[in-house]
């Protein structure tokens, strides 16, 4: 068999890293006031800007965003990403998150504060109109699924893990199959700066 290589053109990047959880962060999140989500599959903090009360963690997350956009995506210095909003999520046993994406933002992410095995992995879903290989008019089967041919891709969650991804990327959370509560913190980023030139110039303040 001849040797070959494949060029993966225009992939969708998902950033993954670690920030160790501090006891004061988890204590604050555990004692935050929650309300049931409108579709009844989890609890969300009433504070939708919760990272403003956790400045050290907020700075850590901002640093991860900066690393992602400047060192990996290689965006120029005129793109200044800033934290829009943030909230904590409590998944009781049996809770989950439906397939969704985040509107009115460019980058989204999640940080895991309290987890156990089988508490609910994060699952990314390929949009049917994103034809990176074949159109959906034919549903091919594969001997082995991977991040190129799969229709969905799951990432194991663990305490201290942080993930960042484009806000339009659809995702869900598997059912919490443990007897314990699962806590995570979600957030969105947008951008400020001046982009384009001449008649195509756009400034976002």
């Amino acid at each position: 068999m001849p040797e070959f290589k494949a060029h993966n053109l225009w992939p969708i990047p998902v950033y993954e890293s670690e920030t160790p959880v501090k006891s004061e962060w988890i204590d604050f999140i555990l004692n935050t006031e929650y309300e049931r989500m409108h579709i009844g599959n989890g609890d969300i903090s009433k504070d939708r800007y919760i990272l403003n009360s956790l400045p050290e963690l907020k700075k850590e997350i901002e640093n991860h965003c900066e690393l992602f956009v400047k060192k990996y995506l290689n965006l120029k210095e005129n793109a200044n990403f800033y934290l829009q909003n943030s909230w904590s999520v409590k998944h009781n046993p049996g809770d989950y998150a439906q397939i969704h994406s985040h509107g009115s933002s460019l980058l989204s992410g999640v940080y895991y504060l309290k987890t156990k095995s089988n508490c609910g992995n994060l699952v990314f879903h390929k949009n049917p109109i994103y034809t990176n290989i074949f159109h959906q008019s034919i549903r091919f089967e594969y001997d082995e699924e991977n991040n190129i041919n799969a229709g969905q891709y799951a990432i194991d969650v663990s305490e201290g893990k942080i993930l960042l991804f484009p806000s339009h990327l659809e995702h869900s959370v598997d059912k919490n199959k443990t007897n314990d509560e699962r806590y995570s913190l979600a957030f969105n980023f947008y951008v400020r700066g001046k982009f384009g030139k001449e008649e195509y110039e756009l400034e976002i303040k």
Side-chain angles (χ1 to χ4, degrees), residues 60-75:
E60 289 281 347
I61 290 172
E62 289 172 335
N63 289 341
H64 281 289
C65 181
E66 185 76 2
L67 182 62
F68 183 34
V69 300
K70 296 296 172 62
K71 299 300 183 182
Y72 181 75
L73 299 179
N74 294 312
L75 288 179

Side-chain angles (χ1 to χ4, degrees), residues 94-112:
D95 283 347
Y96 65 97
Q98 76 284 2
I99 299 175
H100 65 285
S101 59
H102 294 213
S104 302
S105 59
L106 292 176
L107 290 176
S108 298
V110 60
Y111 176 66
Y112 296 96

Side-chain angles (χ1 to χ4, degrees), residues 18-200:
E18 301 281 339
T19 291
V21 178
K22 293 192 174 184
S23 58
E24 55 266 34
W25 299 346
I26 186 63
D27 288 344
F28 181 85
I29 294 300
L30 289 175
N31 291 290
T32 291
E33 190 174 0
Y34 290 86
E35 60 187 1
R36 198 67 176 162
M37 294 182 182
H38 69 281
I39 59 174
N41 59 350
D43 295 346
I44 185 171
S45 63
K46 291 187 175 181
D47 186 355
R48 302 299 207 272
Y49 302 90
I50 199 165
L51 279 171
N52 289 340
S53 299
L54 295 166
E56 186 179 9
L57 178 55
K58 179 180 179 180
K59 185 62 178 177
E60 289 281 347
I61 290 172
E62 289 172 335
N63 289 341
H64 281 289
C65 181
E66 185 76 2
L67 182 62
F68 183 34
V69 300
K70 296 296 172 62
K71 299 300 183 182
Y72 181 75
L73 299 179
N74 294 312
L75 288 179
K76 291 188 174 181
E77 290 298 322
N78 63 316
N80 299 305
F81 279 78
Y82 68 94
L83 190 71
Q84 283 179 283
N85 46 27
S86 54
W87 60 95
S88 56
V89 175
K90 177 173 68 173
H91 275 178
N92 300 298
D95 283 347
Y96 65 97
Q98 76 284 2
I99 299 175
H100 65 285
S101 59
H102 294 213
S104 302
S105 59
L106 292 176
L107 290 176
S108 298
V110 60
Y111 176 66
Y112 296 96
L113 291 136
K114 186 174 182 288
T115 66
K116 278 190 174 181
S117 179
N118 295 318
C119 70
N121 287 333
L122 183 65
V123 183
F124 292 101
H125 300 265
K126 179 183 174 183
N127 192 302
I129 66 172
Y130 181 62
T131 53
N132 66 314
I133 308 177
F134 303 114
H135 191 270
Q136 290 292 306
S137 58
I138 300 179
R139 298 294 180 91
F140 287 102
E141 296 180 355
Y142 298 93
D143 289 328
E144 181 180 345
E145 289 193 342
N146 54 39
N147 62 339
I148 297 173
N149 60 35
Q152 60 184 42
Y153 188 85
I155 295 181
D156 293 335
V157 304
S158 57
E159 292 177 6
K161 180 174 288 187
I162 181 171
L163 298 167
L164 287 160
F165 48 87
S167 297
H168 67 268
L169 184 57
E170 293 187 332
H171 53 285
S172 63
V173 177
D174 288 335
K175 183 180 292 186
N176 181 0
K177 296 180 180 178
T178 74
N179 294 320
D180 297 308
E181 297 167 338
R182 168 192 186 274
Y183 288 86
S184 60
L185 193 152
F187 47 86
N188 292 320
F189 281 89
Y190 205 69
V191 71
R192 295 187 180 100
K194 186 180 289 187
F195 311 100
K197 297 179 180 179
E198 299 176 352
E199 69 269 28
Y200 303 110

